[in-house]
């Protein structure tokens, strides 16, 4: 028998669906409910590897942590990893199955995946008290409704009630709520139970007349008004681009433990993936992280990070075009720290042989590390553990490139030459002792009197953040009404709001 469920949709991308889904999961698990997250289809370059070796969106992995369950491929059966504006790698049940154009995917493949998506959802519902699903973009994208497997398509197939989240900080939230409802077919409107306002600033009583009018126009309740709060960012989806500003989450951290701070510059390469690797650095007192795209921005950096990317050769070309490649070579010659992660590690090597991702053939790397990379058709997906710099460390791997390390000092799966480090391991900096040891090395090479704080626990900080999301739901949403929705489905007799879309 299927148990409770809810689909959290949004008026737009980045309306707060991921945050609200995580918050509901944390609120429910604190009430003793066995809950799991789910997203039928995710488009993101920010991914994670589960313990069974499946690649899923990091947002769903974070939501699983909010629910205090182990993430699995069931929670994100379809992952699209953009390689350009027009094509994406399709990852099905955690494994890549090919590259497809947007037209080809939406024209044929997507609709055929609905049974797989619904099957995964039903399996989760059979083993949990509740499953909180996240939609994508807007459910009112009428050009894509015929093949939809993540919004109203899955809601209708599984008879899930739908809660629509709107970001009032952007403005136009009432028009967005009404318009979203009015663009849905009658059968879809039957499942749209109500609304949730996100990022409200000010006196909620001033909002109430608008909420009352929205109820009279749509016949649907607003299930809560969440206040705007800083520092609530989570492991986000990123589409094709991420902003160079605000990518590192706003947070309040303690003052530096030493006399100096460390300045970290992250090269914002095209198709940047797993940019959350630097979140653990940003959480350290006295470490300042910024994303950069100009060579002059590297001048005062104590550490430069070349992050992962879905387009290694494209990233290398971009670094050359912007003068960043020459700046990195100069840094290495001067003994100033550089860290390459995954695609960034490959860029720092001597040679890249790519007949898989870019099909560019043999391309010279920056030559900062004695490494040669050959792209394999099969993707490496792993959860390695090990030791480096005298500390235990674990991470995860997601890459087609196979590295042949020809020299240097061993560093995780890669190597180190002077103050240049390279590894395929994502997430290694989340290991606290290893991160502190690495920062001590960076500070020594940079000549900074930086002292790593002895008690920063990245895992604890993440838990605190997830608890804050649960607190938001508990304090500012109508949780009794939410539970009735999860347990009993959409209210009967919800009125149709014209004009609607064709069925």
């Amino acid at each position: 028998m299927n148990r409770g469920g809810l689909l959290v949709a949004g008026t737009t991308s980045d309306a707060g669906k991921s945050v609200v889904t995580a918050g509901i999961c944390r609120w429910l698990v604190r009430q003793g409910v066995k809950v799991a997250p789910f997203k039928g289809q995710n488009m993101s370059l920010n991914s994670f590897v589960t313990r069974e070796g499946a690649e899923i969106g990091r947002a769903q992995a974070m939501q699983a942590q909010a629910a205090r369950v182990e993430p699995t491929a069931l929670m994100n059966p379809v992952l699209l990893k953009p390689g350009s504006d027009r094509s994406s790698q399709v990852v099905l049940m955690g494994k890549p199955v090919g590259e497809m154009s947007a037209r080809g995917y939406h024209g044929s493949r997507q609709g055929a995946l609905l049974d797989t998506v619904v099957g995964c959802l039903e399996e989760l519902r059979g083993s949990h008290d509740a499953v909180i699903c996240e939609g994508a973009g807007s459910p009112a994208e009428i050009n894509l409704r015929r093949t939809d497997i993540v919004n109203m398509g899955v809601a209708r197939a599984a008879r899930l009630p739908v809660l629509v989240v709107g970001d009032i900080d952007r403005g136009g939230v009432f028009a967005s709520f009404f318009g979203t409802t009015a663009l849905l077919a009658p059968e879809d409107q039957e499942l749209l139970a109500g609304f949730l306002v996100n990022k409200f600033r000010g006196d909620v009583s001033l909002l109430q007349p608008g909420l009352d009018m929205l109820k009279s126009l749509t016949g649907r309740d607003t299930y809560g008004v969440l206040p705007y709060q800083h520092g609530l960012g989570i492991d986000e989806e990123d589409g094709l681009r991420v902003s160079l500003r605000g990518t590192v989450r706003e947070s309040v951290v303690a003052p530096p433990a030493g006399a100096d701070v460390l300045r970290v510059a992250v090269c914002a390469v095209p198709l940047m993936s797993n940019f959350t690797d630097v979140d653990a650095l940003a959480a350290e007192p006295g470490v300042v992280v910024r994303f950069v795209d100009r060579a002059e921005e590297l001048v005062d950096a104590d550490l430069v990070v070349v992050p992962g990317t879905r387009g290694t050769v494209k990233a290398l070309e971009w670094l050359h075009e912007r003068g960043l490649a020459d700046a990195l070579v100069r840094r290495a010659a001067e003994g100033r720290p550089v860290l390459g992660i995954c695609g960034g590690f490959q860029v720092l090597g001597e040679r890249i042989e790519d007949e898989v991702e870019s099909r560019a053939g043999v391309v010279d790397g920056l030559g900062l590390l004695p490494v040669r990379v050959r792209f394999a058709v099969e993707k490496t997906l792993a959860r390695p553990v090990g030791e480096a710099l005298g500390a235990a460390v674990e991470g995860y791997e997601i890459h087609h490139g196979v590295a042949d390390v020809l020299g240097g000092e061993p560093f995780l799966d890669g190597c180190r030459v002077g103050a240049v480090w390279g590894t395929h391991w994502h997430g290694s900096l989340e290991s606290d002792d290893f991160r502190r040891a690495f920062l001590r090395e960076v500070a020594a090479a940079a000549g900074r009197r930086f002292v790593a704080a002895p008690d920063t626990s990245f895992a604890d900080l993440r838990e605190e953040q997830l608890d804050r999301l649960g607190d938001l739901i508990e304090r500012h949403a109508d949780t009794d009404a939410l539970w009735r929705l999860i347990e009993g489905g959409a209210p009967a007799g919800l009125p149709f709001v014209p004009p609607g879309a064709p069925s």
Side-chain angles (χ1 to χ4, degrees), residues 251-261 283-288 450-456:
S251 59
V252 177
V253 296
D260 290 342
V261 300
E284 280 285 348
V287 177
V288 180
F450 169 83
V451 177
D455 55 354
T456 302

Side-chain angles (χ1 to χ4, degrees), residues 22-349:
I24 293 175
C25 284
R26 178 50 60 101
W27 159 63
L28 285 173
V29 76
R30 293 195 305 206
Q31 310 308 308
V33 177
K34 187 179 181 183
V35 58
F38 177 82
K39 184 162 186 171
Q41 173 191 293
N42 198 342
M43 176 175 277
S44 181
L45 292 172
N46 206 18
S47 58
F48 181 76
V49 179
T50 67
R51 294 207 179 276
E52 74 266 31
E55 185 179 8
I56 66 172
R58 272 195 69 98
Q60 279 61 65
M62 176 278 308
Q63 290 161 356
Q65 184 175 349
R68 297 179 180 147
V69 294
E70 188 68 31
T72 72
L74 291 173
M75 297 172 184
N76 180 206
V78 181
L79 173 64
L80 305 179
K81 301 195 73 175
S84 71
D85 289 347
R86 294 177 178 269
S87 67
S88 293
Q89 183 181 68
V90 181
V91 179
L92 178 62
M93 295 304 295
K95 304 296 180 183
V97 295
E99 198 88 12
M100 291 196 72
S101 69
R103 180 179 291 275
Y105 180 72
H106 288 290
S108 58
R109 186 64 183 267
Q110 187 180 33
L113 292 173
L114 181 60
D115 288 346
T116 298
V117 168
V118 174
C120 290
L121 173 58
E122 295 309 305
E123 187 170 342
L124 286 173
R125 293 180 79 185
S127 57
H128 294 79
D129 301 324
V131 177
I132 307 303
C133 309
E134 181 186 346
S138 162
E141 290 167 349
I142 53 179
N143 56 315
L144 303 177
R145 176 62 185 90
R146 182 177 60 85
T147 55
D148 171 47
I149 62 172
V150 65
N151 288 309
M152 301 312 301
V154 71
R156 197 191 297 186
R159 303 308 299 171
L160 291 173
V162 177
L163 184 70
V164 178
V165 178
D167 180 354
I168 196 170
D169 195 52
R170 294 181 173 190
V173 74
F174 291 115
S176 297
F177 282 146
F178 181 85
T180 297
T181 309
L183 279 178
L184 298 181
E187 296 88 345
D188 290 343
Q189 287 195 27
E190 290 175 4
L191 297 172
L192 200 163
F195 314 107
L196 186 74
V197 176
N198 191 29
K199 295 185 182 178
F200 180 72
R201 305 173 191 251
D203 185 345
V204 177
S205 66
L206 298 177
L207 192 65
Q208 194 59 49
L211 300 179
D212 294 340
M213 192 176 297
L214 183 66
K215 172 68 181 287
S216 68
L217 289 168
T218 67
R220 288 158 173 85
D221 291 323
T222 297
Y223 284 72
V225 177
L226 308 185
Y228 189 101
Q229 288 194 9
H230 291 283
L232 287 183
I234 46 120
D235 296 356
E236 300 163 350
E237 301 163 14
D238 51 2
L240 291 176
R241 297 184 299 167
V242 293
S243 171
L244 299 188
R245 296 178 301 167
T247 306
V248 176
R249 258 54 77 204
E250 298 173 343
S251 59
V252 177
V253 296
D260 290 342
V261 300
L262 282 183
R263 295 171 176 83
V264 179
V266 184
C267 297
V269 296
L271 299 173
M272 182 164 39
S273 62
N274 292 77
F275 54 87
T276 48
D277 281 335
V278 298
D279 279 3
L281 294 178
E284 280 285 348
V287 177
V288 180
V289 178
R290 68 183 188 274
F291 285 75
V292 304
D293 61 355
R294 297 194 300 264
E296 57 267 29
E297 294 178 291
L298 304 191
V299 173
D300 67 342
D302 300 306
L303 169 67
V304 175
V305 178
V306 187
T309 172
R310 172 84 163 84
T312 299
V313 171
K314 183 180 292 187
L316 183 58
E317 293 171 350
W318 182 86
L319 290 169
H320 279 295
E321 289 168 359
R322 292 180 170 263
L324 288 159
D326 290 339
L328 289 168
V329 172
R330 286 194 299 272
R331 285 186 67 88
E334 295 165 359
R336 303 179 67 201
V338 177
L339 170 64
I341 302 174
C342 200
F345 167 41
Q346 297 165 7
V347 161
L348 300 182

